[in-house]
Amino acid sequence: RRCGLAAGRSYSGGGGYPGVSLTCPLPGVPKAVFAAAESRERFETRVTVLENGLRVASQNKFGQFCTVGILVNSGSRHEAKYLSGISHFLEKLAFSSTAQFGSKDEILLTLEKHGGICDCQASRDTIMYAVSADARGLDTVVNLLADVALQPRLSDEEMEMTRSAIRFELEDLNMRPDPEPLLTEMIHAAAFRDNTVGLNRFCPVENTAKINRDVLHSYLRSYYTPDRMVLAGVGIEHEQLVECARKYLLGVEPVWGPGQSRAVDRSVAQYTGGIVKVEKDMSDVSLGPTPIPELTHIMIGLESCSFLEEDFIPFAVLNMMMGGGGSFSAGGPGKGMFTRLYLNVLNRHHWMYNATSYHHSYEDTGLLCIHASADPKQVREMVEIITREFILMAGAVGEVELERAKTQLKSMLMMNLESRPVIFEDVGRQVLATNTRKLPHELCALIGQVKPTDIKRVVTKMLHKKPAVAALGDLTDLPSYEHIQAALASKDGRLPRLYRLFR
């Protein structure tokens, strides 16, 4: 049987079907049977709680390598009764010598046998010890993680090296051309003054000499308990991970002993609003053939919500809708920058170097803020522009604009979850906070349900709060906190008229 125009063609290959079009099935060939998609249960995050309260969570992902780690509900927000900076110290001390391993080099050599790498990150509410390695080395990896978390030696030499590393990091932080990490600390300190997530994430210089082994053991005794931990893994079988957890994390006495722990800080974040200012000469932060001009940096924030609340998804969509970035990315043919901070701010005010929206969310609160940078002489106008953007959030939301933000958020979510370490962190953090995990398709469904009324509702609630303000650089022309608060309470975001006339 011949099909279509192909009947008249000749083929040099001399195959058995010279006249069959590529769009027609070959005669005599059995019908293909395609593999069916496996049931959704195969891709759900499995969670097992051990007898001591430790949670073990795993997620299937095909491949030779796995990412496994221990997440602890411990961070700078829990340091109210302790010296500030303990979490920062623990982050730097991680993967040093332990009861089984004599040095960091020994740990790295052990991981190298399984093609592994390790990392530790401390945040405001979580500290995370993670290893990526060949899945066949799972037993070794879990043994190592348990030893690193529960049996650190904290030798005098390691403590002194950590003090030096922290001092260097603090110096580097103050010298960077990009002030975003410093501004993030300042805006949290302003928004939650002297409590929980407002406490300093970095160890103050004056505390580096005060933190010693006894101080660390006292803190670890309170917060490094099995009920505050999750062993998470991606790319391994759940039963195998549970077996390793029972072997190395059940009934193990930590190096700080079974002594009585101090009361765990269960304080709920209290939003205060306020301002934190740091006068700083920014004229020489970036020298060289193409120096960055002197800039003043302002960050204005308002309380949003916890990631456990239903309003978290509308806030995430709103943050994506605001978008923003640096002026370098703002213009040019075909750039396609459609977020509000590009269209309304960077494309209209050439003198602004940056306008970016950020959303920080925690178990009991959140903070939506906008970071802006400009020449010190234009600080007043920059503040007016940013406050106006906050007020415009409560206005009409276009259907096209909303759909674009929702699609972008879904795209970013799915793209990030292509990475195994990102899946690991997502699994660990969600299980640590809620004992379960929302899968990507569930989150995408929630994002798709956001309506313009949802955006307006969450913004209206947010605008009733006092602002949090962080300011860094030459602050000669910075409006007072009261004037910024009045501008946010006005209809157009303008600073009071008397201030503009007599500043």
Side-chain angles (χ1 to χ4, degrees), residues 32-169:
V33 179
F34 296 100
E38 295 190 57
S39 62
R40 182 167 283 169
E41 285 72 28
R42 284 278 296 165
F43 304 101
E44 287 182 355
T45 302
R46 296 181 62 187
V47 181
T48 298
V49 183
L50 301 188
E51 292 82 347
N52 61 356
L54 177 83
R55 285 156 286 179
V56 182
S58 73
Q59 180 74 44
N60 278 321
K61 187 170 177 65
F62 303 109
Q64 183 182 346
F65 283 78
C66 66
T67 299
V68 183
I70 294 174
L71 293 92
V72 189
N73 185 8
S74 155
S76 58
R77 70 170 295 162
H78 301 109
E79 293 172 2
K81 299 176 184 176
Y82 295 87
L83 284 169
S84 173
I86 288 177
S87 298
H88 193 191
F89 243 79
L90 291 171
E91 178 188 60
K92 296 296 176 195
L93 280 165
F95 295 99
S96 297
S97 63
T98 68
Q100 288 184 50
F101 301 93
S103 66
K104 179 171 280 192
D105 287 344
E106 199 175 321
I107 287 176
L108 296 177
L109 283 170
T110 303
L111 287 175
E112 196 176 298
K113 293 173 186 174
H114 300 283
I117 55 172
C118 60
D119 186 29
C120 178
Q121 292 181 8
S123 62
R124 288 187 157 74
D125 52 5
T126 311
I127 189 163
M128 179 174 66
Y129 303 85
V131 170
S132 287
D134 192 305
R136 289 171 294 185
L138 179 66
D139 191 82
T140 303
V141 166
V142 176
N143 178 26
L144 188 150
L145 282 166
D147 220 41
V148 164
L150 301 176
Q151 306 287 337
R153 281 187 184 170
L154 308 179
S155 69
D156 292 339
E157 184 185 0
E158 288 166 350
M159 293 292 289
E160 200 51 52
M161 284 179 66
T162 299
R163 290 186 184 103
S164 299
I166 287 174
R167 290 187 192 110
F168 175 80
E169 188 175 344

Side-chain angles (χ1 to χ4, degrees), residues 402-418:
L402 182 62
E403 286 304 314
R404 183 184 289 119
K406 285 155 63 173
T407 302
Q408 195 174 348
L409 182 59
K410 290 179 192 176
S411 173
M412 188 181 74
L413 173 71
M414 300 308 291
M415 184 180 70
N416 287 340
L417 289 174
E418 286 289 307

Side-chain angles (χ1 to χ4, degrees), residues 109-398:
L109 283 170
T110 303
L111 287 175
E112 196 176 298
K113 293 173 186 174
H114 300 283
I117 55 172
C118 60
D119 186 29
C120 178
Q121 292 181 8
S123 62
R124 288 187 157 74
D125 52 5
T126 311
I127 189 163
M128 179 174 66
Y129 303 85
V131 170
S132 287
D134 192 305
R136 289 171 294 185
L138 179 66
D139 191 82
T140 303
V141 166
V142 176
N143 178 26
L144 188 150
L145 282 166
D147 220 41
V148 164
L150 301 176
Q151 306 287 337
R153 281 187 184 170
L154 308 179
S155 69
D156 292 339
E157 184 185 0
E158 288 166 350
M159 293 292 289
E160 200 51 52
M161 284 179 66
T162 299
R163 290 186 184 103
S164 299
I166 287 174
R167 290 187 192 110
F168 175 80
E169 188 175 344
L170 293 174
E171 282 182 30
D172 178 61
L173 196 68
N174 286 304
M175 292 167 61
R176 284 185 195 173
D178 174 23
E180 197 269 325
L182 205 56
L183 281 165
T184 300
E185 288 304 302
M186 291 165 64
I187 196 76
H188 278 81
F192 306 93
R193 191 170 291 277
D194 299 327
N195 77 90
T196 57
V197 294
L199 299 177
N200 200 339
R201 193 168 69 85
F202 297 104
C203 180
V205 177
E206 62 271 17
N207 283 0
T208 54
K210 298 176 186 175
I211 295 175
N212 55 36
R213 190 185 296 108
D214 291 338
V215 170
L216 293 178
H217 278 181
S218 173
Y219 179 86
L220 291 165
R221 191 174 293 116
S222 292
Y223 290 97
Y224 275 47
T225 55
D227 58 302
R228 299 178 67 85
M229 292 182 178
V230 168
L231 174 67
V234 177
I236 34 81
E237 291 296 328
H238 185 71
E239 289 76 14
Q240 194 182 355
L241 187 63
V242 171
E243 185 184 335
C244 289
R246 289 186 181 281
K247 187 175 176 182
Y248 298 112
L249 288 161
L250 194 59
V252 177
E253 184 175 307
V255 71
W256 47 87
Q260 187 65 34
S261 67
R262 293 170 64 178
V264 171
D265 185 6
R266 302 188 189 279
S267 304
V268 176
Q270 302 296 316
Y271 181 81
T272 59
I275 186 167
V276 172
K277 299 187 288 186
V278 175
E279 288 268 4
K280 187 179 177 184
D281 180 9
M282 306 285 282
S283 60
D284 59 351
V285 293
S286 176
L287 302 175
T290 54
I292 296 173
E294 181 181 1
L295 299 174
T296 293
H297 303 272
I298 306 292
M299 196 177 269
I300 299 176
L302 292 165
E303 188 181 22
S304 58
C305 74
S306 152
F307 58 68
L308 299 176
E309 296 178 47
E310 288 183 3
D311 284 346
F312 172 69
I313 298 292
F315 268 116
V317 174
L318 171 65
N319 180 56
M320 193 59 68
M321 198 166 72
M322 298 306 295
S327 59
F328 177 77
S329 302
K335 277 292 181 79
M337 301 295 187
F338 289 105
T339 61
R340 286 192 178 187
L341 292 179
Y342 276 123
L343 293 176
N344 301 346
V345 178
L346 293 169
N347 285 347
R348 294 186 181 184
H349 307 284
H350 64 89
W351 45 270
M352 284 189 67
Y353 281 79
N354 181 54
T356 311
S357 176
Y358 297 96
H359 187 216
H360 306 278
S361 197
Y362 305 96
E363 200 171 338
D364 50 359
T365 188
L367 191 65
L368 183 81
C369 42
I370 296 176
H371 167 208
S373 309
D375 185 276
K377 294 182 176 60
Q378 291 169 300
V379 169
R380 179 193 60 78
E381 194 176 350
M382 175 169 67
V383 169
E384 280 195 347
I385 288 165
I386 297 307
T387 53
R388 186 177 70 236
E389 287 306 310
F390 271 108
I391 291 165
L392 288 173
M393 288 180 193
V397 178

